[in-house]
Amino acid sequence: MTPPSAATPSDVAELSRCTAVFLPGDPARTGRIAFRRPDGSPPSGPATGSAEELTVALPVDVPDDDSTGPAPTGLDVRTRTVRALVLPLGEALPVLTRARARAAQAGPGQCDPATAFWGAAAVLALQLAARGKLLPGLTATDHDAWRVGPLTPDDLTRVRELAAAMPPSAHATPLPASGPVLLPEPERHLRAFLDGVADGLPRSPAAASAAGGPAFAATAPRRLPEQRAWAADVAAGHDAGVRLSVRVELLHGSGDGNGKADRPHFRAVLQLHSLTDPALVADAADVWAGTSPVIPALGPRARMDALLTLRRAARAWAPLAPLLSAAVPDALDLADEEVAELLGPAAGALDAAGVQVHWPRELARGLTARAVIGPDGDDEAQDDAEPRFPAFLSADALLRFSWRFAVGDQELTRAELDQLAEASRPVVRLRDQWVLLDPEAARRIRDRQDRKLTPADALGAVLTGRAEADGSEVEVRPTGWLEALRDHLADPEGAAGAQLPPVSQPAALAATLRDYQLRGLDWLVRMTSIGLGGCLADDMGLGKTITLIFPVKSAC
């Protein structure tokens, strides 16, 4: 998508009050947005726009012939040709997103509902693209095109809810058919818009050079009929056919007769989901046997579509490959190493291929680590009426940075963490339950050592609640006087700051401080009393200088 020429604020203001309608194109990136005024005249806008005639469907009041009342009316729809300003989709995006923001901030009448709707659709399209939800493929005329996908169930819900809110004026361009006036179906029309945005975003001026060719990179359409089979393979399980998932089952042994259970093992079961309703799911074994009640929802090509998706999934994770040659691709037993792979990078690779992994709910999962920062002996309560904050530059003010580990909501001891790290299998018996984890990840976490932090570093960590460790961010919780200091800084006038008496106006000051100046003075005194500085950011002319005199004089 080439850089659009910026619309001026006056352009955005005028176009926001116009009615916007989306005009699909083939390929999708050639779609356009038309803006029209209620009086039928084209609005002004960016120079890249063109004034064109547009046929729209408009509701009109007509007499009701079956009624006998004095002034009966009914509602009819008539087509009308109007003049509109038509912008390429790439040029219209910044206008639509600003119109949406304008609709949220300005009063009634400042933004047309249809334009605000397409602004919300533009934001959704940009959010999906930012998450990498882009799929390559071919149009019905074999042109190279990107589209949004694969969409998660939550994404589909957002699309359907937005489509249900589409105003009639937002898709008021009649379909080319004789007879009654028919408008585009809202969800299909919205998906065409989302695909149009997705198709244009990757096509930057340097994209063809970076990709090594113009296909899926250059703006000019390219026909690629020889790639039709590849496009069908990409679409399988994403936005065509069925979607696959892997359900991991935990199988227990019968025991050794002494009340001690055998070590469990795992099995991966292949499942098929309907693309239109992901809640409709069936095991592959039932689909191949023809016994599943959801087979009609999966379509007549469910088996073929499942094998196409399975082939792509097997390229992402090789242990699935034996299912391709099985008479019924129902399930396979997993080795411990394969379970560990599914707990690590294999799950991400399968998700990128459109296959999700579901684990047994009975297993405790998620070994997490968080940091606790505080002084030594932080469990001792402070009995003083005022919290004691040591000098921040003192040599003995180093704070302890220690680790806490947990599985689920259960905190682990170091001995239990050692047990998990030294396990040779991805499933371990701990506290009368099976724990599922990657032993290698447990060993990496175990190697994290406690250390000392300067007060300044500690304060920065507890104020944000996060700290970096081994290239990743971890949660941080303060203790002792550091926790009291964090609360004091976060809300100096709240419960933590209420222990300190408020600062009154200095008796020697030959002036009268306003309320906001007294609050600023109180805040400065509180900050300097605990060894911290502060920046008083009142606007110019509000009396910062006189507010600063007293704390500076007191510090001298």
Side-chain angles (χ1 to χ4, degrees):
M1 181 174 289
T2 57
S5 58
T8 64
S10 60
D11 291 338
V12 174
E14 179 172 1
L15 295 178
S16 296
R17 292 189 290 268
C18 296
T19 300
V21 64
F22 171 59
L23 308 176
D26 184 17
R29 61 185 175 276
T30 61
R32 301 179 297 165
I33 296 289
F35 297 88
R36 62 178 178 86
R37 286 175 174 161
D39 61 5
S41 61
S44 60
T48 51
S50 59
E52 301 180 14
E53 290 189 344
L54 179 69
T55 300
V56 295
L58 299 175
V60 294
D61 290 333
V62 297
D64 188 349
D65 296 334
D66 296 332
S67 174
T68 59
T73 58
L75 193 63
D76 195 8
V77 176
R78 305 284 176 84
T79 59
R80 177 185 173 189
T81 300
V82 298
R83 298 281 291 175
L85 176 70
V86 181
L87 293 178
L89 195 53
E91 301 281 353
L93 276 182
V95 176
L96 294 175
T97 54
R98 294 173 192 169
R100 173 182 175 272
R102 185 181 179 88
Q105 299 171 0
Q110 296 301 309
C111 187
D112 186 87
T115 305
F117 171 84
W118 288 117
V123 171
L124 175 59
L126 294 173
Q127 290 173 342
L128 292 173
R131 290 166 48 203
K133 296 295 184 178
L134 300 175
L135 286 175
L138 298 180
T139 68
T141 54
D142 292 330
H143 288 103
D144 63 325
W146 294 89
R147 62 192 183 280
V148 294
L151 300 183
T152 66
D154 289 342
D155 295 330
L156 289 172
T157 299
R158 288 186 65 189
V159 171
R160 289 167 181 167
E161 289 178 349
L162 185 59
M166 181 183 292
S169 57
H171 60 125
T173 49
L175 295 175
S178 59
V181 177
L182 299 177
L183 302 184
E185 194 274 324
E187 184 173 343
R188 182 175 299 177
H189 203 51
L190 175 59
R191 287 295 295 264
F193 174 85
L194 299 177
D195 290 343
V197 176
D199 192 23
L201 287 176
R203 302 176 189 272
S204 64
S209 298
F216 299 96
T219 303
R222 291 184 60 84
R223 294 191 71 250
L224 303 171
E226 68 280 5
Q227 299 296 335
R228 176 57 63 184
W230 165 81
D233 188 29
V234 171
H238 284 317
D239 52 10
V242 297
R243 180 168 294 171
L244 295 186
S245 70
V246 173
R247 184 181 76 246
V248 181
E249 295 181 346
L250 179 66
L251 305 179
H252 298 278
S254 59
D256 60 1
N258 297 319
K260 186 176 182 180
D262 291 339
R263 295 196 309 174
H265 61 283
F266 294 90
R267 171 175 291 179
V269 179
L270 196 66
Q271 299 181 131
L272 280 69
H273 299 256
S274 167
L275 281 177
T276 57
D277 186 356
L280 297 177
V281 58
D283 287 355
D286 296 333
V287 174
W288 257 252
T291 58
S292 173
V294 305
I295 289 179
L298 300 178
R301 287 174 40 91
R303 293 187 187 182
M304 181 62 67
D305 293 334
L307 290 175
L308 285 173
T309 306
L310 182 60
R311 183 171 63 184
R312 183 176 63 244
R315 290 198 293 266
W317 191 51
L320 291 176
L323 292 177
L324 289 171
S325 57
V328 179
D330 51 358
L332 58 96
D333 292 329
L334 298 176
D336 288 348
E337 295 78 10
E338 294 166 343
V339 175
E341 290 175 1
L342 284 178
L343 289 169
L350 286 174
D351 184 67
V355 179
Q356 293 185 327
V357 179
H358 305 289
W359 294 95
R361 294 185 178 181
E362 63 189 279
L363 292 176
R365 293 186 59 215
L367 177 60
T368 58
R370 62 181 174 87
V372 176
I373 304 178
D376 291 325
D378 56 12
D379 293 331
E380 298 178 3
Q382 294 189 14
D383 298 327
D384 299 340
E386 298 182 7
R388 292 176 282 112
F389 304 138
F392 266 63
L393 297 180
S394 63
D396 57 350
L398 291 179
L399 298 168
R400 187 178 71 252
F401 183 104
S402 58
W403 290 100
R404 300 289 188 272
F405 309 99
V407 171
D409 58 355
Q410 299 185 48
E411 190 165 310
L412 303 179
T413 65
R414 274 285 180 178
E416 289 173 328
L417 180 63
D418 290 340
Q419 178 185 348
L420 297 178
E422 293 167 4
S424 58
R425 306 192 68 225
V427 60
V428 181
R429 191 73 174 175
L430 183 69
R431 297 188 186 179
D432 296 327
Q433 66 175 338
W434 291 106
V435 176
L436 183 68
L437 79 162
D438 180 3
E440 181 59 34
R443 284 188 282 272
R444 289 195 301 268
I445 290 179
R446 182 187 59 174
D447 293 339
R448 294 177 176 176
Q449 300 296 320
D450 298 349
R451 63 181 189 271
K452 295 290 186 179
L453 282 184
T454 64
D457 291 337
L459 184 59
V462 301
L463 286 177
T464 60
R466 311 292 296 177
E468 185 175 345
D470 301 330
S472 61
E473 284 194 341
V474 295
E475 179 189 354
V476 170
R477 183 175 68 85
T479 62
W481 64 259
L482 186 61
E483 182 178 15
L485 177 60
R486 190 276 311 271
D487 295 341
H488 183 81
L489 294 176
D491 188 9
E493 297 178 338
Q499 299 176 3
L500 300 176
V503 175
S504 59
Q505 175 165 323
L509 184 62
T512 300
L513 297 180
R514 298 181 177 91
D515 289 344
Y516 68 87
Q517 290 175 306
L518 284 172
R519 290 185 64 194
L521 173 61
D522 182 73
W523 179 73
L524 288 171
V525 171
R526 289 171 187 265
M527 293 299 102
T528 55
S529 67
I530 58 177
L532 294 176
C535 178
L536 196 61
D538 290 339
D539 288 340
M540 291 181 61
L542 293 183
K544 293 186 293 296
T545 303
I546 195 171
T547 307
L548 284 169
I549 290 175
F550 178 72
V552 171
K553 182 177 182 300
S554 300
C556 295

